[in-house]
Amino acid sequence: MAPAVKRRLIAAAMLAPFILGACGTAKEPAAPAAGTTVAAEAVAQIKAGDEHNDTDVMFLQMLAYHQEQGLRMTTTAIKRAKNPQLATLAQAIQATEKDELAMMRTWLEDWDAPTEVDQAPSLHADHGGLPGTGEAEIKALSKVKAASFDTAFLNLFLAHQHQAMEMSKVELTGGKNSEAKKFAERVQQSRQGEIQQMLQLMNG
């Protein structure tokens, strides 16, 4: 079995007991375990086509950078989370966002656009993007006391995923590429689901 497929199947099995489809990007509803695998495979198969504008490019660049940060944070959560449900959620988010990140980079390459975002804050102030989660905040997750980790992670990641939703709003308003706009809709839905689950963990 190919490593990528094996990873997706593991993610699906882990996801089923806790997350009811909130992290996936499948276009149609499905049973939780199967739906997650279908979503991962579907992401890899989506082609954006050639038609696009600057907003499409900016959205993908910003969200790719955003998800690189998210992968660092969820990696720390998988290692340090005290609540096993939080660790499971972090693993599910990571599996989804790795696939989304690969898809976004492929689209940008197909458009002959840079896959890295210009990090100058002035370029993104009106796009719901940078500045976002700070480097110091991400590093602090590795140093915070074990007893305080879950709360620190949830507070930081709630804001982080809210920012992804803000980026998606800009794409839905000003984007041109139909697949990028559909992706933005799925990002809004999945991140809202993740936010609801994180709030439940905080209040549990």
Side-chain angles (χ1 to χ4, degrees):
M1 182 180 293
V5 174
K6 182 177 181 181
R7 171 171 62 78
R8 290 165 181 157
L9 291 174
I10 292 172
M14 295 173 60
L15 187 63
F18 181 57
I19 301 172
L20 302 179
C23 293
T25 53
K27 297 181 180 180
E28 299 294 337
T36 305
T37 305
V38 169
E41 295 296 337
V43 165
Q45 296 170 3
I46 296 171
K47 301 298 181 183
D50 295 331
E51 187 177 33
H52 65 279
N53 63 12
D54 290 344
T55 299
D56 298 318
V57 172
M58 181 75 73
F59 167 62
L60 295 180
Q61 289 174 334
M62 288 194 304
L63 190 60
Y65 174 78
H66 179 271
Q67 291 193 183
E68 288 169 357
Q69 290 184 320
L71 291 174
R72 291 173 59 194
M73 287 189 276
T74 52
T75 294
T76 303
I78 291 167
K79 295 176 182 177
R80 300 201 64 200
K82 185 177 180 180
N83 186 334
Q85 289 186 321
L86 178 55
T88 299
L89 176 60
Q91 288 173 310
I93 291 171
Q94 189 169 92
T96 293
E97 295 197 1
K98 281 182 178 179
D99 286 307
E100 290 177 348
L101 183 57
M103 180 194 72
M104 288 188 286
R105 286 174 173 163
T106 297
W107 289 3
L108 288 168
E109 289 169 357
D110 288 346
W111 295 342
D112 293 323
T115 57
E116 300 296 326
V117 66
D118 189 327
Q119 296 184 32
S122 61
L123 295 177
H124 310 285
D126 297 328
H127 300 97
L130 302 175
T133 310
E135 183 68 19
E137 294 173 303
I138 295 174
K139 289 183 177 179
L141 288 176
S142 299
K143 300 176 182 179
V144 68
K145 292 181 179 179
S148 302
F149 176 82
D150 287 10
T151 299
F153 173 82
L154 286 168
N155 281 324
L156 185 60
F157 210 72
L158 276 166
H160 185 76
Q161 295 302 68
H162 178 74
Q163 190 186 27
M165 295 179 67
E166 292 301 309
M167 294 178 193
S168 299
K169 289 179 183 178
V170 175
E171 169 63 19
L172 290 171
T173 301
K176 182 177 182 180
N177 183 273
S178 60
E179 289 298 339
K181 296 184 80 166
K182 290 176 186 176
F183 175 50
E185 290 176 349
R186 297 196 297 274
V187 167
Q188 286 230 318
Q189 294 169 1
S190 66
R191 275 45 170 189
Q192 182 59 47
E194 292 166 11
I195 287 170
Q196 291 173 352
Q197 292 168 58
M198 286 188 281
L199 289 172
Q200 290 173 2
L201 289 174
M202 290 184 74
N203 297 324

